[in-house]
């Protein structure tokens, strides 16, 4: 992917910002409860001040409207630094859901606050432990000009911090998107901490007041595809970070009087992983560009990229832990945190098997 001048500036900005503000030490502190928050509030504020929270919000509402390729540059850095922020849930999924499915009044109500970092949005789609967006039992009923919504959603990313939920529910037998205020009396949030320290929640809606987002019938597909593309880029960034850390360790650790990086077997494995990362990154960038261009098979490219990036991240994490030896399994080393995030990010919005099956179905295999 050859970045244009604007994208290269954004890539440089993101790399500097995350290198300065994000670290695995912060993740450790959040896990230990010493920061009093379940995401990196300082980093999130820095992203707000840099305009990154409005990267997919139209300029008319205070954003930059840079497109998914640019957002992917930010996602790549979140993976490299294991940054805990609501970027995926709010700046990507929330912004696209409201931007594509909302009406003009809803745009005015929510897109500006998203760009300003004043509103955290959580996408509530799944109703079981696996990603199956077509299996919807939650339902919405019209009451005058408004709707009331009932049902349960599981493992909602950033659910405990959300100010607004974007919920998939059935209306007149057809799936649609609805916006629900998290402060509504009919909303019950049960916080869940995932293995990678991310904030999630199981959310129950009991006759909760809702607004329908219905400008586009296929808006949910666009939202999920954008999320999968972002996760693919995050997994690429994660894989690169693991690769860099592992190479550094191979050049330092000695056995039998020589650095272990001199052993040919380890060199071959490192070279293989390097090639896999390059391929995964190329596929992810191509998928992001396809989404921005609106090409016919963009969703298929995204599915392929997510599946490939998930497999690569799992390989990178496994190789990183193994090449670090027994110490790689200890909490003292950072590599284990990358493995945990790789597992969770690979599952979110569809694991490699889910993406491969959907890709094959779309191609008629």
């Amino acid at each position: 992917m050859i970045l244009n001048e604007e994208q290269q500036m954004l890539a440089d900005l993101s790399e500097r910002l995350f290198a300065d503000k994000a670290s695995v030490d912060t993740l450790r502190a959040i896990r230990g409860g010493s920061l009093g928050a379940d995401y990196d509030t300082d980093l999130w504020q820095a992203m707000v001040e840099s305009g990154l929270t409005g990267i997919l919000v139209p300029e008319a509402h205070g954003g930059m409207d840079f497109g998914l390729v640019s957002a992917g540059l930010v996602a790549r850095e979140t993976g490299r630094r294991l940054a805990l922020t609501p970027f995926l849930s709010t700046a990507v999924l929330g912004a696209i859901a409201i931007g594509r499915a909302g009406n003009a009044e809803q745009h005015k109500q929510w897109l500006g606050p998203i760009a300003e970092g004043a509103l955290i949005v959580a996408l509530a789609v799944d109703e079981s432990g696996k990603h199956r967006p077509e299996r919807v039992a939650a339902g919405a009923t019209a009451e005058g000009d408004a709707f009331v919504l009932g049902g349960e959603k599981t493992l909602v990313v950033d659910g405990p911090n959300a100010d607004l939920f974007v919920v998939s529910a059935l209306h007149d037998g057809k799936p649609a998107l609805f916006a629900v205020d998290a402060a509504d009396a009919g909303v019950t949030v049960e916080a869940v901490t995932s293995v990678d320290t991310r904030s999630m929640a199981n959310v129950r809606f009991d006759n909760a007041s809702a607004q329908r987002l219905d400008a586009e019938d296929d808006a949910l597909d666009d939202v999920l595809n954008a999320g999968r593309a972002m996760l693919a880029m995050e997994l690429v960034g994660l894989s690169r970070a693991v690769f860099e850390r592992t190479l550094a360790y191979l050049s330092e650790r000695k056995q039998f009087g020589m650095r272990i990086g001199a052993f040919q077997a380890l060199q071959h494995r490192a070279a293989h992983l390097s090639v896999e990362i390059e391929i995964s990154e190329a596929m992810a960038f191509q998928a992001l560009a396809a989404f921005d261009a609106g090409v016919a098979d963009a969703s298929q490219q995204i599915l392929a990229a997510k599946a490939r990036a998930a497999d690569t991240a799992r390989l990178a994490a496994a190789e990183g832990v193994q090449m670090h030896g027994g110490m790689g399994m200890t909490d003292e080393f950072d590599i284990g945190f990358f493995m945990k995030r790789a597992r969770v990010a690979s599952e979110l919005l569809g694991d490699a098997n889910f993406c491969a099956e959907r890709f094959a179905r779309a191609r008629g295999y």
Side-chain angles (χ1 to χ4, degrees), residues 281-356:
E281 185 170 61
M283 291 180 66
F285 268 126
Q286 179 174 310
L288 294 167
F291 184 95
D292 284 340
V295 301
D297 68 342
S299 63
Q300 297 171 39
Q301 293 190 42
I302 290 170
L303 289 167
K306 174 66 161 54
R308 183 60 181 259
D311 284 342
T312 299
R314 290 194 179 196
L315 173 64
E319 291 284 62
V321 168
Q322 191 170 48
M323 290 187 192
H324 276 76
M327 291 183 294
M329 296 298 295
T330 67
D331 192 70
E332 179 183 352
F333 272 62
D334 293 342
I335 287 295
F337 289 95
F338 288 91
M339 173 175 275
K340 291 174 182 176
R341 180 55 185 168
R343 299 287 290 189
V344 175
S346 295
E347 287 285 339
L348 286 176
L349 305 185
D351 61 12
N353 290 333
F354 172 94
C355 292

Side-chain angles (χ1 to χ4, degrees), residues 66-125:
F66 274 3
L68 218 61
V69 170
S70 295
L73 298 172
V74 180
R76 185 173 61 178
E77 293 303 316
T78 68
R80 288 185 64 191
R81 307 291 176 178
L82 293 184
L84 272 71
T85 73
F87 179 76
L88 174 65
S89 60
T90 299
V92 178
L93 299 175
I96 291 181
I98 294 169
R100 298 211 172 192
N103 56 39
E105 183 178 344
Q106 291 164 340
H107 290 173
K108 184 177 179 180
Q109 182 180 3
W110 293 314
L111 288 180
I114 287 177
E116 296 166 1
L119 183 76
I120 294 180
V121 183
L123 180 68
V125 173

Side-chain angles (χ1 to χ4, degrees), residues 251-311:
S251 67
E252 298 168 0
R253 173 67 171 162
K254 288 186 177 181
Q255 278 188 331
F256 309 111
M258 60 190 301
R259 292 182 175 84
I260 61 175
F263 296 122
Q264 191 175 56
L266 296 185
Q267 291 177 0
H268 287 173
R269 288 164 63 179
H272 170 68
L273 178 57
S274 177
V275 172
E276 292 297 308
I277 293 171
E278 291 294 335
I279 294 172
S280 294
E281 185 170 61
M283 291 180 66
F285 268 126
Q286 179 174 310
L288 294 167
F291 184 95
D292 284 340
V295 301
D297 68 342
S299 63
Q300 297 171 39
Q301 293 190 42
I302 290 170
L303 289 167
K306 174 66 161 54
R308 183 60 181 259
D311 284 342

Side-chain angles (χ1 to χ4, degrees), residues 184-206:
D184 188 273
V187 177
T188 303
V189 178
E190 177 191 355
V192 176
T193 301
S194 64
V195 69
D196 64 340
T197 315
R198 262 58 179 186
S199 173
M200 295 185 176
N202 296 326
V203 185
R204 185 171 70 253
F205 302 95
D206 186 11

Side-chain angles (χ1 to χ4, degrees), residues 6 10 50-59 62-67 115:
E6 189 177 72
L10 179 63
S50 300
L52 299 183
T53 51
I55 198 167
L56 296 176
V57 174
E59 293 182 16
M64 297 190 293
D65 199 16
F66 274 3

Side-chain angles (χ1 to χ4, degrees), residues 140-214:
T141 304
E143 288 193 358
D145 295 331
F147 292 85
V148 293
L149 191 146
E152 297 185 12
K153 298 293 180 177
T154 60
L155 302 178
V156 178
V157 178
D158 290 315
N161 304 306
D163 302 301
L164 184 75
F165 290 103
V166 174
V167 188
S168 63
L170 297 176
H171 177 243
D172 291 337
K174 297 180 180 179
L177 289 177
F178 296 84
V180 180
D181 190 328
D184 188 273
V187 177
T188 303
V189 178
E190 177 191 355
V192 176
T193 301
S194 64
V195 69
D196 64 340
T197 315
R198 262 58 179 186
S199 173
M200 295 185 176
N202 296 326
V203 185
R204 185 171 70 253
F205 302 95
D206 186 11
N207 292 324
S209 299
Q211 294 187 41
R212 180 166 178 168
L213 307 173
D214 57 0

